[in-house]
Amino acid sequence: MSASYGSRGLPIGVAILAVLIGIVGVLLLIAALILLVFAGVVFASGFAIFGGGLLGGLLLLIFAVLLIAVATGLWDLELWALVLSIIVVGLLFIGYLLSGSLLGTLLSFLVLVYLLAVNRHFR
């Protein structure tokens, strides 16, 4: 993660988002591995129905790896990570707006505006 930023340094807000997303990704990775081990034990004991939690564990593992990749991409100021983050936060904003969650709507809107404001730092 030693990118040369030159005059376009890593904005502090992007660094904070990358770290938070990375932490969530690592926690989900740990949860996915625990779920997969548990599903394997249940499956091996013969009590599993349709694989137990195997599918859930695999989906959680995929989601965790994607979050870790996005966190790394944001830290390295990769444009694909910014675009993916804007799409996800935009969808969250719409969801919170439709559900009537004022705090969620406000926070997701602020993050969305911030991501759009720092887009010049990404390559």
Side-chain angles (χ1 to χ4, degrees), residues 30-50:
I30 292 168
L33 294 175
I34 290 170
L35 186 58
L36 287 171
V37 167
F38 178 72
V41 169
V42 170
F43 185 73
S45 68
F47 291 115
I49 299 174
F50 302 113

Side-chain angles (χ1 to χ4, degrees), residues 16-28 64 67-72:
I16 291 169
L17 286 173
V19 168
L20 291 175
I21 291 169
I23 289 170
V24 170
V26 168
L27 292 174
L28 288 180
L67 282 177
I68 293 169
V70 168
T72 304

Side-chain angles (χ1 to χ4, degrees), residues 98-109:
L98 293 175
S99 72
S101 171
L102 182 61
L103 182 60
T105 302
L106 180 62
L107 289 177
S108 59
F109 177 76

Side-chain angles (χ1 to χ4, degrees), residues 3 5 17 45 69 74 96:
Y5 300 116
L17 286 173
S45 68
L74 285 173
Y96 285 131

Side-chain angles (χ1 to χ4, degrees), residues 1-12:
M1 285 195 219
S2 60
S4 174
Y5 300 116
S7 63
R8 301 181 328 167
L10 180 65
I12 188 70

Side-chain angles (χ1 to χ4, degrees), residues 58-88:
L58 289 174
L59 291 174
L60 194 59
L61 179 65
I62 291 168
F63 189 62
V65 169
L66 285 172
L67 282 177
I68 293 169
V70 168
T72 304
L74 285 173
W75 187 267
D76 291 338
L77 297 174
E78 297 290 338
L79 185 59
W80 64 265
L82 175 67
V83 171
L84 186 57
S85 298
I86 288 171
I87 290 170
V88 170

